[in-house]
Amino acid sequence: MTINWKKTAVIVLDIAIAAYLVLAITAFNKPDELGAACSEVKIDIQRDVTDGFLNADEVKKFLEYNKAYPLGKPLREINTRHIEDILRQSPFVETAECYKTQGGNIRITLTQKTPIIRVKADNGDDYYIDNHGSMMSNSRYPSNLIIATGHINKQYAKKVLTPIGNMLVNNDFWQNQIEQINVLADGTIEIAPRVGEHIIYLGSPTNIEKKLQRLEKFYRYGLSEAGWNKYSYINVEFDNQIICKKKQKN
């Protein structure tokens, strides 16, 4: 059997080139971890329509508490998937991504759950609701959120207050105007504005968007002329009418 040395040499050369390319690509996409340690951790927190509770320092402390902060550790010992799993255990984290950069550092990107309402119920419950209706434990960080008070259980907060809160925070006018939601014993709703010394009665928590649209028109074309403090109580419960009670003079 005659060996075609020329053809064999070409095949061997092709295999060598292919092996080199695989090693080169692997080396390019994966930092040299032999003896190298993480010298920097960059934490990027995505912002949403409202300010959340997380900042880079809190993320660092959370990872340190769970013995997962990678700074100074050998790169070959850093498990980025484990760091992601740890971060997702935080009640304030929506998504977490962790990876090693080309320079051998660690990059962490987070999205956080968006608090929309703080609940301070008559039964003593004190927590936040996020935009998906999940309960978030009380935090020491201040946040300029609408406060919901009154007769509120967690089922009511999830089913009723969550869609109302999402509606308010996604509307520039109402996000800046509404300060408090108060739930009465029969489940009906009052709201207190930031501007004006009146209470607004929405009634049952149905057709809220239409009621607010009617109220907004009254604000723009009625109260702007009559004065923000003329009325003490404004009722928009019923379609096609707004009932106002004048503020009593001292």
Side-chain angles (χ1 to χ4, degrees), residues 19-134:
Y20 170 79
L21 289 175
V22 170
L23 291 174
I25 292 172
T26 302
F28 181 79
N29 288 293
K30 185 178 181 181
D32 181 11
E33 297 183 0
L34 295 177
C38 172
S39 60
E40 182 182 10
V41 179
K42 186 171 183 180
I43 300 172
D44 182 24
I45 302 173
Q46 305 296 316
R47 298 297 176 187
D48 211 322
V49 291
T50 62
D51 290 332
F53 300 124
L54 290 176
N55 57 47
D57 189 53
E58 286 301 315
V59 174
K60 175 184 175 182
K61 290 178 181 178
F62 184 75
L63 289 174
E64 287 177 337
Y65 177 80
N66 288 279
K67 297 179 173 56
Y69 192 62
L71 186 64
K73 294 182 179 180
L75 289 169
R76 64 178 179 273
E77 296 180 6
I78 296 173
N79 186 334
T80 56
R81 179 65 62 85
H82 176 66
I83 293 174
E84 292 174 350
D85 292 340
I86 291 294
L87 289 170
R88 293 191 188 105
Q89 294 175 16
S90 167
F92 305 120
V93 172
E94 181 81 23
T95 64
E97 182 181 6
C98 179
Y99 55 92
K100 300 172 186 178
T101 69
Q102 187 57 42
N105 299 319
I106 298 297
R107 178 75 178 266
I108 297 172
T109 302
L110 301 176
T111 60
Q112 56 184 326
K113 293 180 180 179
T114 305
I116 55 174
I117 291 177
R118 180 174 181 178
V119 174
K120 300 187 73 173
D122 286 350
N123 62 10
D125 286 347
D126 187 352
Y127 54 88
Y128 295 86
I129 308 172
D130 73 10
N131 53 323
H132 299 298
S134 298

Side-chain angles (χ1 to χ4, degrees), residues 58-246:
E58 286 301 315
V59 174
K60 175 184 175 182
K61 290 178 181 178
F62 184 75
L63 289 174
E64 287 177 337
Y65 177 80
N66 288 279
K67 297 179 173 56
Y69 192 62
L71 186 64
K73 294 182 179 180
L75 289 169
R76 64 178 179 273
E77 296 180 6
I78 296 173
N79 186 334
T80 56
R81 179 65 62 85
H82 176 66
I83 293 174
E84 292 174 350
D85 292 340
I86 291 294
L87 289 170
R88 293 191 188 105
Q89 294 175 16
S90 167
F92 305 120
V93 172
E94 181 81 23
T95 64
E97 182 181 6
C98 179
Y99 55 92
K100 300 172 186 178
T101 69
Q102 187 57 42
N105 299 319
I106 298 297
R107 178 75 178 266
I108 297 172
T109 302
L110 301 176
T111 60
Q112 56 184 326
K113 293 180 180 179
T114 305
I116 55 174
I117 291 177
R118 180 174 181 178
V119 174
K120 300 187 73 173
D122 286 350
N123 62 10
D125 286 347
D126 187 352
Y127 54 88
Y128 295 86
I129 308 172
D130 73 10
N131 53 323
H132 299 298
S134 298
M135 311 297 164
M136 304 168 65
S137 60
N138 187 9
S139 170
R140 66 181 180 275
Y141 299 105
S143 187
N144 190 27
L145 296 178
I146 296 168
I147 295 177
T149 57
H151 293 71
I152 305 170
N153 59 38
K154 293 184 177 180
Q155 184 71 8
Y156 188 96
K158 182 179 179 65
K159 298 295 184 181
V160 178
L161 293 182
T162 299
I164 294 176
N166 279 317
M167 186 188 308
L168 296 177
V169 300
N170 286 289
N171 183 296
D172 290 339
F173 181 81
W174 292 118
Q175 183 182 15
N176 294 320
Q177 178 64 10
I178 301 303
E179 182 174 48
Q180 182 179 351
I181 298 171
N182 186 51
V183 181
L184 304 180
D186 60 358
T188 58
I189 292 176
E190 297 174 331
I191 56 177
R194 298 183 191 277
V195 178
E197 299 176 0
H198 52 269
I199 298 297
I200 302 154
Y201 183 66
L202 298 179
S204 62
T206 57
N207 300 316
I208 296 296
E209 188 171 7
K210 290 184 178 180
K211 292 174 183 178
L212 292 178
Q213 287 173 351
R214 192 162 67 250
L215 179 62
E216 183 176 353
K217 290 180 180 178
F218 179 65
Y219 267 16
R220 294 185 185 278
Y221 306 112
L223 286 186
S224 60
E225 297 293 332
W228 290 94
N229 296 320
K230 183 175 182 178
Y231 302 108
S232 61
Y233 205 77
I234 300 173
N235 186 332
V236 295
E237 177 183 14
F238 305 107
D239 290 340
N240 302 318
Q241 62 176 312
I242 296 178
I243 303 170
C244 300
K245 180 180 179 180
K246 286 186 176 180

